[in-house]
Amino acid sequence: MTPSSFWQGRERYTVFDTQHGDGSRVAALVEAWRRDPARPAHLHIVALTEGLLPGFHRVPQDDDAVTLDLLCVPLETALAQLSARIDFAYVHGVQGAGFARALARLVASDAVLAADALDDNQVAALAAQGFVFDEDKSGARFASRKPRQPLPAVPPRHAIVIGAGLAGCAAAQRLCARGWQVTLVERHPQAAMEASGNLAGIFMPLLSKDDNIPTRLTRAAYLYALRYWDSIGGIGRAIEGAACGVMQLARDAGHADASRAIAAAGSTPPEFAEWLESQEAEALLGLPAPDGAWLFRQGGWARPGSVCAAMMAACGERLVTHFGVGSVTLERVDEEWQVRAADGKVVAQAPTVVLAGGAASGAFPQASQLPLSALRGQVTHLDASTLPSLPYVLCREAYLTPAANGLACAGATYDLDADPALRADSQQENIERLQALVSNPEAGRDAPLQGRVGFRCVAPDRLPLVGALPDFEAAGSTERLRDVPRHPGLHSLLGYASRGLIWAPLCAELLAARLENEPLPLAASLVDALDPARFVLRARRNSRAPQSSSQDFLA
Ligand SMILES: Cc1cc2nc3c(=O)[nH]c(=O)nc-3n(C[C@H](O)[C@H](O)[C@H](O)COP(=O)(O)OP(=O)(O)OC[C@H]3O[C@@H](n4cnc5c(N)ncnc54)[C@H](O)[C@@H]3O)c2cc1C
């Protein structure tokens, strides 16, 4: 039994494979798909693998009509955390029979199963879930009496994206790649003039001892971003920047001890994150690194504006831009959304809107109850010839980028005020941190006031908000995310805080996959952690609990 015998004429066909192995089965499947004139419009392959970092990995393919997800998790986790409707399952090398129920939950009503050497218990468990086997037990058809919940309808493929920063440009690209018409609306005459307008943003993963949700999410976003940027031209080529590596100095002896413990656990291959003791780090850096350092070899810096440009270029003709229209507003009219300019003129109308307005998004009444803060940041631009030349981006509490066009960027401050002007006290803060970073009290001294101010859009848990916007007014006493009422067709890509470069590709991909009812690129628990409706549930819990004054976004 092979998928090609069943996929004819389908819009989308999803194959699940319990064993990616050397990849030859996936390669053969894609080849068969390519050669078949009756192939489904979209082939989605989800395969379990070993040898990658833990988690779900969406691997961009040359052809947008093929999607490959490699899941480096145990089978039970994969089946419990996967959001997908499986049409064909290869079951190989599986232990026990406990997987049968979880697999049955995910398969389509006419799904097909191909299996190797199932034992009697496994056959019985699958049969009990509704799989009807061939005589030789190598294949089965799903024929459950319980009807499957129909998937929600895919909306007409036209979206308005508000905001042409990293979030909005990535949304436009991932939607255009799926055949959507996208109208990208921006108040400024060009893309990337707000938070995404910095000369350099750095990208690197986040590590933690307990591999908590932010760490897992950041890892997934970082790894997806590295692959994604390659697919749209690459850092240092289409995208201005350098994948030169990031060296993160340990803050103190305690941080170094915690880092050693993470390194000793052996879950960080050196190309991802390598712990270096002081001498090794200093030899590579040419500067003091008294407590040791992490080296993230695939990390680096990029100019966010050039990432936006590369993403817009990859959209092709399906993208229409309306830039320089001033601050728009949003109104629901006849089952669609109207985006209007300040003079009331309709700029665009569509059933789907993606709100990617960054720190200014609270001005939209539909988003005004989200607990988002605009966190000021000032970066200092320095004449690079006055600074040590760096082989890597260097960071600790602050960062310093290697020279590009004669300038190095040092930053950035975290301020609670709304002052858009460059300030001497913020510059002083950056310079003092820089001096500590490079162990030189003269570095950057007397530098002219030069740099840029931007505003990060930050949620209390510092995680992005990806998905349909909750309707706070209508929420009632809802207890579960899936029961929270939403504004129909209104989605957010917000809250990218200090990691917009890496959040943008994965969050856009997640949103686009949801709109298309595709298998999702992240484990369900991580998808939930990004759901904007989490704040509806938290607001309810907080209203029942004693009030806390903590502002954890500053942690
Ligand atoms: C000082 C500083 C340093 C940073 N350093 C890094 C770093 O090293 N690495 C990293 O990854 N990230 C960094 N970030 C964060 C990163 O810049 C942001 O996360 C990212 O740029 C956010 O992108 P965005 O598209 O959400 O928002 P923005 O880039 O702000 O885009 C939102 C767009 O929406 C438009 N808009 C808003 N409201 C309306 C409206 N009503 N009508 C029309 N248009 C509207 C705005 O004009 C804007 O262009 C830094 C941020 C700052 C401020």
Side-chain angles (χ1 to χ4, degrees), residues 390-404:
L390 293 178
Y392 312 109
V393 174
L394 184 60
C395 69
R396 192 162 49 198
E397 293 88 356
Y399 64 77
L400 177 65
T401 58

Side-chain angles (χ1 to χ4, degrees), residues 58 161 165-178 180 221 224 228 311 354 356 464-467 491-494 496 500-516 518 520-522 530:
R58 179 151 293 183
V161 177
L166 285 167
C169 294
Q173 201 279 321
R174 295 320 297 143
L175 287 169
C176 286
R178 287 166 167 84
W180 285 57
Y224 180 71
Y228 172 76
M311 293 192 288
V354 179
L465 283 73
V466 184
H491 305 267
S492 72
L493 288 175
L494 297 170
Y496 289 3
L501 278 171
I502 63 167
W503 286 134
L506 184 61
C507 293
E509 176 69 9
L510 172 60
L511 181 63
R514 278 199 109 147
L515 287 168
E516 286 277 338
E518 295 169 12
L520 300 184
L522 278 173
L530 299 178

Side-chain angles (χ1 to χ4, degrees), residues 163 165-167 186-188 195-196 198 202 328 357 364 497-501:
L166 285 167
E186 167 58 50
R187 61 185 169 185
H188 295 305
S196 307
N198 286 345
I202 68 174
V328 298
F364 291 88
S498 301
R499 293 182 180 266
L501 278 171

Side-chain angles (χ1 to χ4, degrees), residues 315-544:
C315 286
E317 286 171 3
R318 295 200 181 97
L319 176 68
V320 173
T321 57
H322 287 295
F323 288 180
V325 293
S327 289
V328 298
T329 56
L330 202 48
E331 209 176 303
R332 183 114 184 119
V333 179
D334 298 337
E335 308 284 297
E336 293 213 331
W337 290 100
Q338 277 187 353
V339 167
R340 292 172 181 267
D343 61 6
K345 238 165 107 185
V346 176
V347 177
Q349 178 162 344
T352 300
V353 167
V354 179
L355 181 56
S361 300
F364 291 88
Q366 298 86 352
S368 62
Q369 284 178 274
L370 296 169
L372 294 171
S373 315
L375 205 52
R376 180 183 184 276
Q378 182 168 324
V379 189
T380 297
H381 299 162
L382 295 154
D383 177 349
S385 65
T386 65
L387 296 168
S389 105
L390 293 178
Y392 312 109
V393 174
L394 184 60
C395 69
R396 192 162 49 198
E397 293 88 356
Y399 64 77
L400 177 65
T401 58
N405 305 317
L407 286 181
C409 299
T413 62
Y414 283 81
D415 314 305
L416 290 173
D417 63 273
D419 183 1
L422 276 180
R423 276 207 314 252
D425 64 334
S426 296
Q427 168 132 336
Q428 188 55 26
E429 195 181 320
N430 282 336
I431 301 276
E432 281 168 19
R433 291 221 186 104
L434 159 72
Q435 291 168 344
L437 191 64
V438 299
S439 301
N440 178 355
E442 298 300 315
R445 205 179 198 157
D446 303 326
L449 181 60
Q450 204 170 268
R452 191 171 183 280
V453 173
F455 292 87
R456 310 167 183 91
C457 173
V458 185
D461 57 10
R462 297 198 71 118
L463 292 178
L465 283 73
V466 184
L469 273 178
D471 184 343
F472 277 81
E473 303 303 335
S477 56
T478 327
E479 297 285 345
R480 295 181 304 184
L481 283 173
R482 65 168 178 267
D483 297 332
V484 175
R486 317 279 173 144
H487 291 288
L490 179 56
H491 305 267
S492 72
L493 288 175
L494 297 170
Y496 289 3
S498 301
R499 293 182 180 266
L501 278 171
I502 63 167
W503 286 134
L506 184 61
C507 293
E509 176 69 9
L510 172 60
L511 181 63
R514 278 199 109 147
L515 287 168
E516 286 277 338
N517 296 323
E518 295 169 12
L520 300 184
L522 278 173
S525 55
L526 301 185
V527 173
D528 286 353
L530 299 178
D531 192 325
R534 67 190 186 271
F535 297 112
V536 172
L537 305 192
R538 278 180 211 175
R540 176 144 312 106
R541 265 178 244 136
N542 288 346
S543 70
R544 291 197 298 247

Side-chain angles (χ1 to χ4, degrees), residues 42 44 58 75 107 156 193 245 313 343 451 464 516 554:
H42 198 113
H44 199 123
R58 179 151 293 183
L75 175 63
V107 295
M193 291 187 72
D343 61 6
E516 286 277 338
L554 287 177

